[in-house]
Coordinates of all heavy atoms in Angstrom, one line a residue:
M1 N -27.1 -37.2 -22.8 CA -27.9 -36.6 -23.9 C -26.9 -36.4 -25.1 O -25.8 -36.0 -25.0 CB -28.4 -35.2 -23.5 CG -29.2 -34.5 -24.5 SD -30.0 -33.0 -23.8 CE -29.0 -31.8 -24.6
L2 N -27.4 -36.7 -26.3 CA -26.6 -36.6 -27.5 C -26.9 -35.4 -28.3 O -28.1 -34.9 -28.3 CB -26.8 -37.8 -28.4 CG -26.4 -39.2 -27.8 CD1 -26.7 -40.3 -28.8 CD2 -24.9 -39.2 -27.5
T3 N -26.0 -34.8 -29.0 CA -26.2 -33.7 -29.8 C -26.8 -34.1 -31.1 O -27.0 -35.3 -31.4 CB -24.9 -32.9 -30.1 OG1 -24.0 -33.8 -30.7 CG2 -24.3 -32.4 -28.8
E4 N -27.1 -33.2 -32.0 CA -27.7 -33.6 -33.3 C -26.8 -34.5 -34.0 O -27.2 -35.4 -34.7 CB -27.9 -32.3 -34.1 CG -29.0 -31.4 -33.6 CD -29.2 -30.2 -34.4 OE1 -28.7 -30.1 -35.6 OE2 -29.9 -29.3 -33.9
S5 N -25.5 -34.4 -33.9 CA -24.6 -35.3 -34.6 C -24.5 -36.6 -33.9 O -24.0 -37.6 -34.4 CB -23.2 -34.6 -34.7 OG -22.6 -34.5 -33.4
G6 N -24.9 -36.7 -32.6 CA -24.9 -37.9 -31.9 C -23.5 -38.2 -31.2 O -23.2 -39.3 -30.7
D7 N -22.6 -37.2 -31.3 CA -21.2 -37.4 -30.8 C -21.2 -36.9 -29.3 O -21.3 -35.8 -29.0 CB -20.3 -36.6 -31.6 CG -18.8 -36.8 -31.2 OD1 -18.5 -37.6 -30.3 OD2 -17.9 -36.1 -31.8
P8 N -21.0 -37.9 -28.4 CA -20.9 -37.5 -26.9 C -19.8 -36.5 -26.6 O -19.9 -35.7 -25.8 CB -20.7 -38.8 -26.2 CG -20.9 -39.9 -27.2 CD -20.8 -39.3 -28.5
K9 N -18.6 -36.6 -27.3 CA -17.5 -35.7 -27.1 C -17.9 -34.3 -27.5 O -17.6 -33.3 -26.8 CB -16.3 -36.2 -27.9 CG -15.1 -35.3 -27.6 CD -13.8 -35.9 -28.3 CE -12.6 -35.0 -27.9 NZ -11.4 -35.5 -28.5
E10 N -18.6 -34.2 -28.6 CA -19.0 -32.8 -29.0 C -20.0 -32.2 -28.0 O -20.0 -31.0 -27.7 CB -19.7 -32.9 -30.4 CG -20.1 -31.6 -31.0 CD -20.7 -31.8 -32.3 OE1 -20.2 -32.5 -33.2 OE2 -21.8 -31.2 -32.5
E11 N -20.8 -33.1 -27.4 CA -21.8 -32.6 -26.4 C -21.0 -32.1 -25.2 O -21.4 -31.1 -24.6 CB -22.7 -33.8 -26.0 CG -23.7 -33.4 -24.9 CD -24.5 -34.5 -24.4 OE1 -24.8 -35.4 -25.2 OE2 -24.9 -34.5 -23.2
E12 N -20.0 -32.8 -24.7 CA -19.2 -32.4 -23.6 C -18.5 -31.0 -23.8 O -18.5 -30.1 -23.0 CB -18.1 -33.4 -23.3 CG -18.6 -34.7 -22.6 CD -17.5 -35.7 -22.4 OE1 -16.3 -35.3 -22.3 OE2 -17.8 -36.9 -22.2
E13 N -18.1 -30.8 -25.1 CA -17.4 -29.5 -25.4 C -18.5 -28.4 -25.4 O -18.2 -27.3 -24.9 CB -16.8 -29.6 -26.8 CG -15.6 -30.5 -26.9 CD -15.1 -30.6 -28.3 OE1 -15.7 -30.1 -29.2 OE2 -14.1 -31.4 -28.5
E14 N -19.7 -28.7 -25.8 CA -20.8 -27.7 -25.8 C -21.1 -27.3 -24.4 O -21.4 -26.2 -24.0 CB -22.0 -28.2 -26.6 CG -21.8 -28.2 -28.1 CD -23.0 -28.7 -28.8 OE1 -24.0 -29.0 -28.2 OE2 -22.9 -28.9 -30.0
E15 N -21.2 -28.4 -23.5 CA -21.5 -28.1 -22.1 C -20.4 -27.3 -21.4 O -20.7 -26.4 -20.6 CB -21.7 -29.4 -21.3 CG -23.0 -30.2 -21.7 CD -23.1 -31.5 -21.0 OE1 -22.2 -31.9 -20.2 OE2 -24.0 -32.2 -21.3
G16 N -19.2 -27.5 -21.8 CA -18.1 -26.8 -21.2 C -18.1 -25.3 -21.7 O -17.9 -24.4 -20.9
E17 N -18.5 -25.1 -22.9 CA -18.7 -23.7 -23.4 C -19.8 -23.0 -22.7 O -19.7 -21.8 -22.3 CB -19.0 -23.7 -24.9 CG -17.8 -24.1 -25.7 CD -18.1 -24.3 -27.2 OE1 -19.2 -23.9 -27.6 OE2 -17.3 -24.8 -28.0
L18 N -20.9 -23.7 -22.4 CA -22.0 -23.1 -21.7 C -21.6 -22.7 -20.3 O -22.0 -21.7 -19.8 CB -23.2 -24.1 -21.6 CG -24.0 -24.2 -23.0 CD1 -25.1 -25.3 -22.8 CD2 -24.6 -22.9 -23.4
L19 N -20.9 -23.6 -19.6 CA -20.4 -23.3 -18.3 C -19.5 -22.1 -18.3 O -19.6 -21.2 -17.4 CB -19.6 -24.5 -17.7 CG -20.5 -25.7 -17.3 CD1 -19.6 -26.8 -16.8 CD2 -21.5 -25.3 -16.2
F20 N -18.6 -22.0 -19.3 CA -17.8 -20.8 -19.4 C -18.6 -19.5 -19.6 O -18.3 -18.5 -19.0 CB -16.8 -21.0 -20.6 CG -15.9 -19.8 -20.8 CD1 -14.9 -19.5 -19.9 CD2 -16.2 -18.9 -21.8 CE1 -14.1 -18.4 -20.1 CE2 -15.4 -17.8 -22.0 CZ -14.3 -17.5 -21.2
L21 N -19.6 -19.6 -20.4 CA -20.5 -18.4 -20.6 C -21.2 -18.0 -19.4 O -21.6 -16.8 -19.3 CB -21.4 -18.7 -21.8 CG -20.8 -18.9 -23.2 CD1 -21.8 -19.3 -24.2 CD2 -20.1 -17.6 -23.6
H22 N -21.5 -18.9 -18.5 CA -22.3 -18.6 -17.3 C -21.5 -18.4 -16.1 O -22.0 -18.4 -15.0 CB -23.4 -19.7 -17.1 CG -24.4 -19.8 -18.2 ND1 -25.3 -18.8 -18.4 CD2 -24.5 -20.7 -19.2 CE1 -26.1 -19.1 -19.4 NE2 -25.6 -20.2 -19.9
Q23 N -20.2 -18.3 -16.2 CA -19.3 -18.2 -15.0 C -19.5 -16.8 -14.4 O -19.5 -15.8 -15.2 CB -17.8 -18.4 -15.4 CG -16.9 -18.4 -14.2 CD -15.5 -18.9 -14.5 OE1 -15.2 -19.1 -15.6 NE2 -14.7 -19.0 -13.5
D24 N -19.5 -16.7 -13.1 CA -19.7 -15.4 -12.4 C -18.4 -14.6 -12.6 O -17.3 -15.1 -12.4 CB -19.9 -15.7 -10.9 CG -20.1 -14.5 -10.1 OD1 -20.1 -13.4 -10.7 OD2 -20.1 -14.6 -8.9
P25 N -18.6 -13.4 -13.1 CA -17.4 -12.5 -13.3 C -16.6 -12.3 -12.1 O -15.3 -12.1 -12.1 CB -18.0 -11.2 -13.8 CG -19.4 -11.5 -14.2 CD -19.8 -12.7 -13.5
L26 N -17.2 -12.2 -10.9 CA -16.5 -12.0 -9.7 C -15.6 -13.2 -9.4 O -14.4 -13.0 -8.9 CB -17.5 -11.8 -8.5 CG -16.8 -11.5 -7.1 CD1 -15.9 -10.3 -7.2 CD2 -17.9 -11.3 -6.1
T27 N -16.0 -14.4 -9.7 CA -15.2 -15.6 -9.5 C -13.9 -15.5 -10.4 O -12.8 -15.8 -10.0 CB -16.0 -16.9 -9.9 OG1 -17.1 -17.0 -9.0 CG2 -15.1 -18.1 -9.7
T28 N -14.1 -15.0 -11.6 CA -13.0 -14.9 -12.6 C -12.0 -13.8 -12.0 O -10.8 -14.1 -12.0 CB -13.5 -14.4 -13.9 OG1 -14.4 -15.4 -14.4 CG2 -12.4 -14.3 -14.9
V29 N -12.5 -12.7 -11.5 CA -11.6 -11.7 -11.0 C -10.9 -12.2 -9.8 O -9.7 -11.9 -9.6 CB -12.5 -10.4 -10.7 CG1 -11.6 -9.4 -9.9 CG2 -13.0 -9.8 -12.0
R30 N -11.6 -12.9 -8.9 CA -10.9 -13.4 -7.7 C -9.8 -14.4 -8.1 O -8.7 -14.3 -7.5 CB -11.9 -14.1 -6.8 CG -12.8 -13.2 -6.0 CD -13.7 -13.9 -5.1 NE -14.4 -13.0 -4.2 CZ -15.6 -13.2 -3.8 NH1 -16.2 -14.3 -4.0 NH2 -16.2 -12.3 -3.0
E31 N -10.0 -15.2 -9.1 CA -9.0 -16.2 -9.5 C -7.8 -15.4 -10.0 O -6.7 -15.8 -9.8 CB -9.6 -17.1 -10.5 CG -10.6 -18.1 -10.0 CD -11.3 -18.9 -11.0 OE1 -11.1 -18.7 -12.2 OE2 -12.1 -19.8 -10.6
Q32 N -8.0 -14.4 -10.8 CA -6.9 -13.6 -11.3 C -6.2 -12.8 -10.2 O -5.0 -12.8 -10.2 CB -7.5 -12.5 -12.3 CG -8.0 -13.2 -13.6 CD -8.7 -12.2 -14.5 OE1 -9.0 -11.1 -14.1 NE2 -9.0 -12.6 -15.7
C33 N -6.9 -12.3 -9.3 CA -6.3 -11.6 -8.1 C -5.4 -12.5 -7.3 O -4.4 -12.1 -6.8 CB -7.4 -11.0 -7.3 SG -8.1 -9.5 -8.0
Q34 N -5.8 -13.8 -7.1 CA -5.1 -14.7 -6.3 C -3.7 -15.1 -7.0 O -2.9 -15.7 -6.3 CB -5.9 -15.9 -6.0 CG -7.0 -15.5 -5.0 CD -7.9 -16.7 -4.6 OE1 -7.7 -17.8 -5.0 NE2 -8.9 -16.4 -3.8
Q35 N -3.5 -14.7 -8.2 CA -2.3 -14.9 -8.9 C -1.3 -13.7 -8.8 O -0.1 -13.9 -9.1 CB -2.5 -15.2 -10.4 CG -3.4 -16.4 -10.6 CD -2.9 -17.7 -10.0 OE1 -1.8 -18.0 -10.0 NE2 -3.8 -18.4 -9.3
L36 N -1.8 -12.6 -8.2 CA -0.9 -11.4 -8.1 C 0.1 -11.7 -7.0 O -0.2 -12.4 -6.0 CB -1.8 -10.2 -7.8 CG -2.7 -9.8 -8.8 CD1 -3.5 -8.6 -8.4 CD2 -2.0 -9.4 -10.1
E37 N 1.2 -11.0 -7.1 CA 2.4 -11.2 -6.1 C 2.0 -11.0 -4.7 O 2.3 -11.8 -3.8 CB 3.5 -10.3 -6.5 CG 4.7 -10.5 -5.6 CD 5.9 -9.6 -6.0 OE1 5.8 -8.9 -7.1 OE2 6.9 -9.7 -5.3
R38 N 1.2 -9.9 -4.4 CA 0.9 -9.6 -3.0 C 0.0 -10.7 -2.4 O 0.1 -11.0 -1.2 CB 0.3 -8.3 -2.9 CG -1.0 -8.1 -3.5 CD -1.6 -6.6 -3.3 NE -2.8 -6.4 -4.0 CZ -2.9 -5.8 -5.2 NH1 -1.8 -5.3 -5.8 NH2 -4.0 -5.7 -5.8
C39 N -0.9 -11.3 -3.3 CA -1.8 -12.3 -2.8 C -1.0 -13.6 -2.6 O -1.2 -14.4 -1.7 CB -2.9 -12.5 -3.7 SG -4.3 -13.5 -3.1
V40 N -0.1 -13.9 -3.5 CA 0.7 -15.1 -3.5 C 1.6 -15.1 -2.2 O 1.7 -16.1 -1.5 CB 1.6 -15.3 -4.7 CG1 2.6 -16.4 -4.5 CG2 0.7 -15.5 -6.0
K41 N 2.1 -13.9 -1.9 CA 2.9 -13.8 -0.7 C 2.1 -14.0 0.6 O 2.5 -14.6 1.6 CB 3.6 -12.4 -0.6 CG 4.8 -12.3 -1.6 CD 5.5 -11.0 -1.5 CE 6.7 -11.0 -2.5 NZ 7.5 -9.8 -2.4
A42 N 0.8 -13.4 0.6 CA -0.1 -13.6 1.7 C -0.4 -15.1 1.9 O -0.5 -15.6 3.0 CB -1.3 -12.8 1.5
R43 N -0.6 -15.8 0.8 CA -0.9 -17.2 0.9 C 0.3 -18.0 1.4 O 0.2 -18.9 2.3 CB -1.2 -17.8 -0.5 CG -1.5 -19.3 -0.5 CD -1.6 -19.9 -1.8 NE -2.6 -19.3 -2.7 CZ -3.8 -19.7 -2.9 NH1 -4.3 -20.7 -2.2 NH2 -4.6 -19.0 -3.7
E44 N 1.5 -17.6 1.0 CA 2.7 -18.2 1.5 C 2.9 -18.0 3.0 O 3.2 -19.0 3.7 CB 4.0 -17.7 0.7 CG 4.0 -18.2 -0.7 CD 5.1 -17.5 -1.5 OE1 5.8 -16.6 -1.0 OE2 5.3 -17.9 -2.7
R45 N 2.6 -16.8 3.5 CA 2.7 -16.5 4.9 C 1.7 -17.4 5.7 O 2.0 -17.9 6.8 CB 2.5 -15.0 5.2 CG 3.7 -14.2 4.8 CD 3.6 -12.8 5.3 NE 2.4 -12.1 4.9 CZ 2.3 -11.4 3.7 NH1 3.3 -11.3 2.9 NH2 1.2 -10.8 3.4
L46 N 0.5 -17.5 5.1 CA -0.5 -18.3 5.8 C -0.1 -19.8 5.8 O -0.2 -20.4 6.9 CB -1.9 -18.2 5.0 CG -3.0 -19.1 5.5 CD1 -3.3 -18.8 6.9 CD2 -4.2 -18.9 4.6
E47 N 0.4 -20.3 4.7 CA 0.9 -21.7 4.7 C 2.0 -21.9 5.7 O 2.1 -23.0 6.4 CB 1.3 -22.1 3.3 CG 0.1 -22.2 2.4 CD 0.4 -22.4 0.9 OE1 1.6 -22.4 0.5 OE2 -0.5 -22.6 0.1
L48 N 3.0 -21.0 5.8 CA 4.1 -21.1 6.7 C 3.6 -21.1 8.1 O 4.0 -21.9 9.0 CB 5.1 -20.0 6.5 CG 6.0 -20.1 5.3 CD1 6.8 -18.9 5.1 CD2 6.9 -21.4 5.4
C49 N 2.7 -20.2 8.4 CA 2.1 -20.2 9.8 C 1.4 -21.5 10.1 O 1.5 -22.0 11.2 CB 1.1 -19.0 9.9 SG 0.3 -18.9 11.5
D50 N 0.6 -22.0 9.1 CA -0.1 -23.2 9.4 C 0.8 -24.4 9.6 O 0.6 -25.2 10.5 CB -1.0 -23.5 8.1 CG -1.9 -24.8 8.4 OD1 -2.6 -24.8 9.4 OD2 -1.8 -25.7 7.5
E51 N 1.9 -24.4 8.9 CA 2.9 -25.5 9.1 C 3.5 -25.4 10.5 O 3.7 -26.4 11.2 CB 4.0 -25.4 8.1 CG 3.6 -25.9 6.7 CD 4.7 -25.6 5.7 OE1 5.9 -25.5 6.1 OE2 4.4 -25.6 4.5
H52 N 3.8 -24.1 10.9 CA 4.4 -23.9 12.2 C 3.4 -24.3 13.4 O 3.8 -25.0 14.3 CB 4.8 -22.4 12.4 CG 5.2 -22.1 13.8 ND1 6.4 -22.5 14.3 CD2 4.5 -21.4 14.8 CE1 6.5 -22.0 15.6 NE2 5.4 -21.4 15.9
V53 N 2.2 -23.9 13.3 CA 1.2 -24.2 14.3 C 0.9 -25.7 14.3 O 0.8 -26.3 15.4 CB -0.1 -23.3 14.1 CG1 -1.2 -23.8 15.0 CG2 0.2 -21.9 14.3
S54 N 0.8 -26.3 13.1 CA 0.5 -27.7 13.1 C 1.6 -28.6 13.6 O 1.4 -29.7 14.1 CB 0.3 -28.1 11.6 OG -0.9 -27.5 11.1
S55 N 2.8 -28.1 13.6 CA 4.0 -28.8 14.1 C 4.1 -28.8 15.7 O 4.8 -29.5 16.3 CB 5.3 -28.3 13.5 OG 5.6 -27.0 14.0
Q56 N 3.3 -27.9 16.3 CA 3.3 -27.8 17.8 C 2.3 -28.7 18.4 O 1.2 -28.8 17.9 CB 3.0 -26.3 18.2 CG 3.9 -25.3 17.5 CD 5.3 -25.4 17.9 OE1 5.6 -25.6 19.1 NE2 6.2 -25.4 17.0
S57 N 2.7 -29.4 19.5 CA 1.8 -30.3 20.2 C 0.7 -29.5 20.9 O -0.5 -29.8 20.7 CB 2.6 -31.1 21.2 OG 3.6 -31.9 20.6
H58 N 1.1 -28.6 21.7 CA 0.1 -27.8 22.5 C 0.5 -26.4 22.3 O 1.5 -25.9 22.8 CB 0.2 -28.2 24.0 CG -0.1 -29.6 24.3 ND1 -1.3 -30.2 24.1 CD2 0.7 -30.7 24.6 CE1 -1.3 -31.5 24.4 NE2 0.0 -31.8 24.7
T59 N -0.4 -25.7 21.7 CA -0.1 -24.2 21.4 C -1.4 -23.5 21.4 O -2.5 -24.0 21.1 CB 0.6 -24.0 20.1 OG1 0.9 -22.6 20.0 CG2 -0.1 -24.5 18.9
E60 N -1.4 -22.2 21.8 CA -2.5 -21.3 21.7 C -2.4 -20.5 20.5 O -3.3 -19.6 20.2 CB -2.6 -20.5 23.0 CG -3.0 -21.3 24.2 CD -3.2 -20.5 25.4 OE1 -3.4 -19.2 25.3 OE2 -3.2 -21.0 26.5
E61 N -1.3 -20.6 19.7 CA -1.1 -19.9 18.5 C -2.1 -20.3 17.5 O -2.5 -21.4 17.4 CB 0.3 -20.1 17.9 CG 1.5 -19.6 18.7 CD 2.8 -19.9 18.1 OE1 3.2 -19.0 17.2 OE2 3.3 -20.9 18.4
D62 N -2.4 -19.3 16.6 CA -3.3 -19.6 15.5 C -2.8 -18.7 14.3 O -1.9 -17.9 14.5 CB -4.8 -19.4 15.8 CG -5.1 -18.0 16.2 OD1 -4.4 -17.1 15.8 OD2 -6.2 -17.9 16.8
C63 N -3.4 -18.8 13.2 CA -3.0 -18.0 12.0 C -4.1 -17.0 11.6 O -4.3 -16.8 10.4 CB -2.7 -19.0 10.9 SG -1.4 -20.1 11.3
T64 N -4.8 -16.5 12.6 CA -5.9 -15.6 12.3 C -5.5 -14.4 11.5 O -6.1 -14.0 10.5 CB -6.6 -15.1 13.6 OG1 -7.0 -16.3 14.3 CG2 -7.8 -14.2 13.3
E65 N -4.4 -13.8 11.9 CA -3.9 -12.6 11.2 C -3.5 -12.9 9.7 O -3.9 -12.2 8.8 CB -2.7 -12.0 11.9 CG -2.2 -10.7 11.3 CD -1.0 -10.1 12.0 OE1 -0.8 -10.5 13.2 OE2 -0.3 -9.3 11.4
E66 N -2.8 -14.0 9.5 CA -2.4 -14.4 8.2 C -3.6 -14.8 7.3 O -3.7 -14.4 6.2 CB -1.4 -15.6 8.3 CG -0.1 -15.3 8.9 CD 0.0 -15.2 10.4 OE1 -1.1 -15.4 11.1 OE2 1.0 -14.9 10.9
L67 N -4.6 -15.5 7.9 CA -5.8 -15.8 7.2 C -6.5 -14.6 6.8 O -7.0 -14.4 5.6 CB -6.7 -16.7 8.1 CG -8.0 -17.1 7.4 CD1 -7.8 -17.9 6.1 CD2 -8.8 -17.9 8.4
F68 N -6.7 -13.6 7.7 CA -7.3 -12.4 7.4 C -6.6 -11.6 6.3 O -7.3 -11.1 5.4 CB -7.4 -11.5 8.7 CG -8.1 -10.2 8.5 CD1 -9.5 -10.2 8.4 CD2 -7.5 -9.0 8.4 CE1 -10.2 -9.0 8.3 CE2 -8.2 -7.8 8.3 CZ -9.5 -7.8 8.2
D69 N -5.3 -11.5 6.3 CA -4.5 -10.9 5.3 C -4.8 -11.5 3.9 O -5.0 -10.8 2.9 CB -3.0 -10.9 5.6 CG -2.7 -9.9 6.8 OD1 -3.5 -9.1 7.1 OD2 -1.6 -10.1 7.3
F70 N -4.7 -12.8 3.9 CA -4.9 -13.5 2.6 C -6.3 -13.3 2.1 O -6.5 -13.0 0.9 CB -4.7 -15.0 2.8 CG -5.0 -15.8 1.6 CD1 -4.3 -15.7 0.4 CD2 -6.1 -16.7 1.6 CE1 -4.6 -16.4 -0.7 CE2 -6.5 -17.4 0.5 CZ -5.7 -17.3 -0.7
C71 N -7.3 -13.4 3.0 CA -8.7 -13.3 2.5 C -9.0 -11.8 2.0 O -9.6 -11.6 1.0 CB -9.7 -13.6 3.6 SG -9.8 -15.4 4.0
M72 N -8.4 -10.9 2.7 CA -8.6 -9.5 2.3 C -8.0 -9.2 1.0 O -8.6 -8.6 0.1 CB -8.0 -8.5 3.4 CG -8.8 -8.4 4.6 SD -10.4 -7.7 4.4 CE -10.0 -6.0 3.8
Q73 N -6.8 -9.7 0.7 CA -6.1 -9.4 -0.5 C -6.8 -10.2 -1.7 O -7.0 -9.6 -2.7 CB -4.6 -9.9 -0.5 CG -3.8 -8.9 0.3 CD -3.8 -7.5 -0.2 OE1 -3.7 -7.3 -1.4 NE2 -3.8 -6.6 0.7
G74 N -7.1 -11.5 -1.5 CA -7.5 -12.3 -2.6 C -9.0 -12.2 -2.9 O -9.4 -12.4 -4.0
T75 N -9.8 -11.9 -1.9 CA -11.2 -12.0 -2.1 C -12.0 -10.7 -1.9 O -13.1 -10.6 -2.3 CB -11.9 -13.0 -1.2 OG1 -11.7 -12.6 0.1 CG2 -11.3 -14.4 -1.4
I76 N -11.3 -9.6 -1.4 CA -12.0 -8.4 -1.1 C -11.3 -7.2 -1.8 O -11.9 -6.5 -2.7 CB -12.2 -8.1 0.4 CG1 -13.1 -9.2 1.0 CG2 -12.9 -6.8 0.6 CD1 -13.2 -9.2 2.5
V77 N -10.1 -6.9 -1.4 CA -9.4 -5.7 -1.9 C -9.2 -5.7 -3.4 O -9.6 -4.8 -4.1 CB -8.1 -5.5 -1.1 CG1 -7.3 -4.3 -1.7 CG2 -8.3 -5.3 0.4
C78 N -8.5 -6.7 -3.8 CA -8.2 -6.7 -5.3 C -9.4 -6.8 -6.1 O -9.5 -6.1 -7.1 CB -7.2 -7.9 -5.5 SG -6.9 -8.1 -7.3
P79 N -10.3 -7.7 -5.9 CA -11.5 -7.8 -6.7 C -12.3 -6.5 -6.7 O -12.8 -6.1 -7.7 CB -12.4 -9.0 -6.1 CG -11.3 -9.8 -5.5 CD -10.3 -8.9 -4.9
T80 N -12.4 -5.9 -5.6 CA -13.2 -4.6 -5.5 C -12.5 -3.5 -6.3 O -13.2 -2.8 -7.1 CB -13.2 -4.1 -4.0 OG1 -13.9 -5.1 -3.2 CG2 -14.0 -2.8 -3.9
N81 N -11.2 -3.5 -6.2 CA -10.4 -2.5 -7.1 C -10.6 -2.8 -8.5 O -10.8 -1.9 -9.4 CB -9.0 -2.5 -6.7 CG -8.7 -1.9 -5.3 OD1 -9.6 -1.2 -4.8 ND2 -7.6 -2.2 -4.7
S82 N -10.6 -4.1 -8.9 CA -10.7 -4.5 -10.3 C -12.1 -4.1 -10.9 O -12.3 -3.7 -12.0 CB -10.5 -5.9 -10.5 OG -9.2 -6.3 -10.1
L83 N -13.1 -4.4 -10.0 CA -14.5 -4.1 -10.5 C -14.9 -2.7 -10.5 O -15.8 -2.3 -11.3 CB -15.5 -4.9 -9.6 CG -15.4 -6.5 -9.7 CD1 -16.3 -7.1 -8.7 CD2 -15.7 -6.9 -11.1
T84 N -14.3 -1.8 -9.7 CA -14.6 -0.4 -9.7 C -13.7 0.4 -10.5 O -14.0 1.6 -10.7 CB -14.6 0.1 -8.2 OG1 -13.3 -0.1 -7.7 CG2 -15.6 -0.6 -7.4
A85 N -12.7 -0.2 -11.1 CA -11.7 0.6 -11.9 C -12.3 0.9 -13.3 O -13.2 0.4 -13.8 CB -10.4 -0.1 -12.0

């Protein structure tokens, strides 16, 4: 679809602006929270655990605790605090 000016690049910019205007605020808060130090550290612990478990041939170990910590920090605790503050 072309804009009034007929410029496809201008149309792409307008579509990008519309997407930005319609972005879910919770998604934005979660993205910001995942950049905080405590969340970054939780992600690092999860990645280290995953590397350790993946390197084992036969193991009953898993990364449930690390996954839970990461999910809690990045998607529940921080966003909830941000939205209720």
Side-chain angles (χ1 to χ4, degrees):
M1 182 170 109
L2 296 176
T3 59
E4 291 178 16
S5 66
D7 183 3
K9 185 176 182 177
E10 185 177 311
E11 179 183 329
E12 288 178 21
E13 290 174 2
E14 288 177 7
E15 288 176 5
E17 290 173 9
L18 288 175
L19 289 174
F20 176 76
L21 293 174
H22 295 287
Q23 186 171 5
D24 181 6
L26 183 56
T27 301
T28 303
V29 170
R30 283 182 176 153
E31 289 170 357
Q32 292 170 349
C33 286
Q34 290 180 1
Q35 302 304 314
L36 296 176
E37 183 178 355
R38 66 179 175 261
C39 192
V40 170
K41 287 183 179 184
R43 179 190 307 263
E44 289 172 356
R45 285 190 303 273
L46 175 60
E47 290 172 355
L48 285 172
C49 179
D50 184 55
E51 287 175 21
H52 172 73
V53 171
S54 296
S55 70
Q56 305 296 313
S57 301
H58 301 289
T59 184
E60 293 184 18
E61 290 181 89
D62 62 24
C63 299
T64 303
E65 182 178 343
E66 291 81 0
L67 178 61
F68 183 74
D69 289 345
F70 172 70
C71 288
M72 286 296 295
Q73 286 301 320
T75 62
I76 298 173
V77 175
C78 175
T80 301
N81 291 341
S82 297
L83 294 173
T84 58

